[in-house]
């Protein structure tokens, strides 16, 4: 029997898609029947009261969660998101409802035994509700009380060999795609780089010292399965420096209908005969492809590695052999200044241990951002405020054509004095002599 009437939430179960409301109700029933015989360390009506406070929020048109204040585990400034209900008398089960972020394994690989251990821990000391995974990438434990935080942390670190993730103004938990473990297009080992930087920057993960949050995300190829270009302050996107490999026989097999395009993903739909001109060549963003004497040609110097042609004809086109990654910076969701996509910083760099070149770029950026960034200002907002040229100066990276987002509006070139041989005086004198002649 439900503790609270929730007619508004019940509507969310009426559509064709699975509903989180159904999940919470199912967990509520499990806690009340308690077939496992668990001695719960927080109130068993936590899920009922969670539904009740959400229903009240829908009715009132405002949240009934208040700021969690300073709550966490000893020695860590991140990993725990404090949450208290502002109606504790009405909903005692969620008077405390703290969320814990747990650092997910690279590529999100688990054993079933490990998942059971996580769930058993959270059934015992939390609400039993999890989010696998949050948009940050973490395992998310939803809802526990303050007195349980240290107990959960001890169990995670001592018995499950697992650490908390990032929260607050720090390095957030790095996230990566499956990379070379599963994907034929991966241009570098995303899992290894993600794990390496997670270990390298533990202080930045757990002890907030940044102006605001900072995210690493690792895409093995330009298909971008973790959407790093839209969500990460620093995106590591796999790419290659040589030419796309072409199997001309396979190209003809696609044209002749012997091989289904798109890996056969739409084989159940009759879209007619495959047209390489319309479906591949005309859709190339840089128009670098054409057919000549029955063969597919690519001007690789103009190719931007968008992967469209490779995705459509994977048997005919393959990524190159000189592989590495591009580093892009500045993506974010709308916080202060609207959504932004990443901007290219390093067009190509090898991803090889110990990754010293990559770490040098990271730390130069952090030095500049921590010195110049305002409170709650993401890296992309600082770049927009001070200009990309400032970023290049702070990282020591020379300007390249790939750094130009659009032609400049002001046609005059500004030179720093140290960039003019002999200084400004010599340059002005030369100008005067030329003008007098």
């Amino acid at each position: 029997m439900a503790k609270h009437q929730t007619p508004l939430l019940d509507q969310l179960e009426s559509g064709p898609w699975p509903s989180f409301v159904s999940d919470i109700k199912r967990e509520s029933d499990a806690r009340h029947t308690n077939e496992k015989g668990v001695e719960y360390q927080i109130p068993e009506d936590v899920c009922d009261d969670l539904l009740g406070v959400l229903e009240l929020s829908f009715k009132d048109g405002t949240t009934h969660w208040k700021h969690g204040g300073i709550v966490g585990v000893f020695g860590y400034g991140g990993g725990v998101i404090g949450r208290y209900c502002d109606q504790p008398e009405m909903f005692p089960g969620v008077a405390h409802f703290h969320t814990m972020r747990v650092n997910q394994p690279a590529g999100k690989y688990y054993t079933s035994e490990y998942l059971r251990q996580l769930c058993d821990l959270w059934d015992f000391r939390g609400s039993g509700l999890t989010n696998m995974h949050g948009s940050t990438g973490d395992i998310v434990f939803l809802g526990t009380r303050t007195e349980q935080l240290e107990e959960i942390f001890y169990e995670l670190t001592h018995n499950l060999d697992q650490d908390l993730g990032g929260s607050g103004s720090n390095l957030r938990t790095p996230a990566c795609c499956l990379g070379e473990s599963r994907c034929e297009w991966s241009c570098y080992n995303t899992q290894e780089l993600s794990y390496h930087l997670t270990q390298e920057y533990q202080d930045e993960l757990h002890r907030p010292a940044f102006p605001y949050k900072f995210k690493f995300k690792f895409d093995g190829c330009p298909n971008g399965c973790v959407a790093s270009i839209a969500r990460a302050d620093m995106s590591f996107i796999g790419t290659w420096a040589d030419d796309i490999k072409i199997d001309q026989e396979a190209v003809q097999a696609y044209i002749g209908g012997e091989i289904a395009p798109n890996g056969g993903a739409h084989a159940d739909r009759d879209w007619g005969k495959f047209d390489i001109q319309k479906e591949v060549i005309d859709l190339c963003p840089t128009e670098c492809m054409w057919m000549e004497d029955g063969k597919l040609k690519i001007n690789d110097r103009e190719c931007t590695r968008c992967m469209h042609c490779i995705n459509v004809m994977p048997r005919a086109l393959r990524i190159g052999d000189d592989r590495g990654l591009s580093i892009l910076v500045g993506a974010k969701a709308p916080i202060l200044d609207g959504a932004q996509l990443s901007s290219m910083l390093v067009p190509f760099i090898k991803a090889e241990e110990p990754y010293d070149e990559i770490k040098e770029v990271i730390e130069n950026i952090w030095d500049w951002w921590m010195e110049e960034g305002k409170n709650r200002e993401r890296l992309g907002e600082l770049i927009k405020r001070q200009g990309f040229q400032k970023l290049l100066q702070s990282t020591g990276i020379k300007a390249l054509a790939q750094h130009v987002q659009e032609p400049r509006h002001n046609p005059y070139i500004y030179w720093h004095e140290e960039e003019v041989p002999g200084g400004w005086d010599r340059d002005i004198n030369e100008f005067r002599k030329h003008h007098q002649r």
Side-chain angles (χ1 to χ4, degrees), residues 169-185:
S169 295
N170 63 1
L171 175 65
R172 297 301 179 85
T173 315
C176 67
C177 69
L178 293 168
E180 293 178 341
S181 67
R182 291 287 301 275
C183 180
E184 60 190 317
W185 307 130

Side-chain angles (χ1 to χ4, degrees), residues 53 64-66 83-88 91 94-97:
V53 74
H64 284 287
W65 301 108
K66 59 184 180 178
R83 195 75 74 234
Y84 295 96
C85 177
D86 68 2
Q87 302 292 326
F91 307 107
V94 291
H96 303 198
F97 199 76

Side-chain angles (χ1 to χ4, degrees), residues 3-4 48-50 52-53 56 85 87-95:
K3 181 178 177 181
H4 304 284
D48 294 327
D49 283 351
L50 178 62
V53 74
L56 183 63
C85 177
Q87 302 292 326
E89 297 82 9
M90 191 182 302
F91 307 107
V94 291

Side-chain angles (χ1 to χ4, degrees), residues 125-152:
R125 296 197 179 276
S127 69
L129 300 172
T130 64
N131 185 344
M132 305 284 282
H133 292 257
S135 59
T136 310
D138 300 273
I139 305 161
V140 179
F141 285 168
L142 289 165
T144 192
R145 294 183 63 83
T146 304
E147 58 269 19
Q148 296 301 321
L149 295 175
E150 289 288 354
E151 303 288 348
I152 295 164

Side-chain angles (χ1 to χ4, degrees), residues 170-171 198-209:
N170 63 1
L171 175 65
T198 300
Q199 297 297 328
E200 179 77 13
Y201 297 120
Q202 280 292 295
D203 274 359
E204 286 76 16
L205 245 168
H206 294 308
R207 294 167 181 87

Side-chain angles (χ1 to χ4, degrees), residues 255-301:
I255 294 172
E258 299 164 37
I259 304 176
N262 302 294
H266 305 297
D268 58 329
R269 303 179 186 179
D270 184 11
W271 286 346
K273 190 174 183 297
F274 174 67
D275 187 332
I276 192 171
Q277 185 68 40
K278 289 183 179 179
E279 297 181 45
V280 179
I281 295 173
D282 289 348
L283 296 179
C284 176
T286 59
E287 301 179 355
C288 70
M289 310 178 72
W290 70 97
M291 294 296 294
E292 185 178 308
D293 298 328
K295 293 185 176 182
L296 180 65
K297 302 287 185 179
I298 301 176
N299 179 2
D300 283 274
R301 291 190 63 183

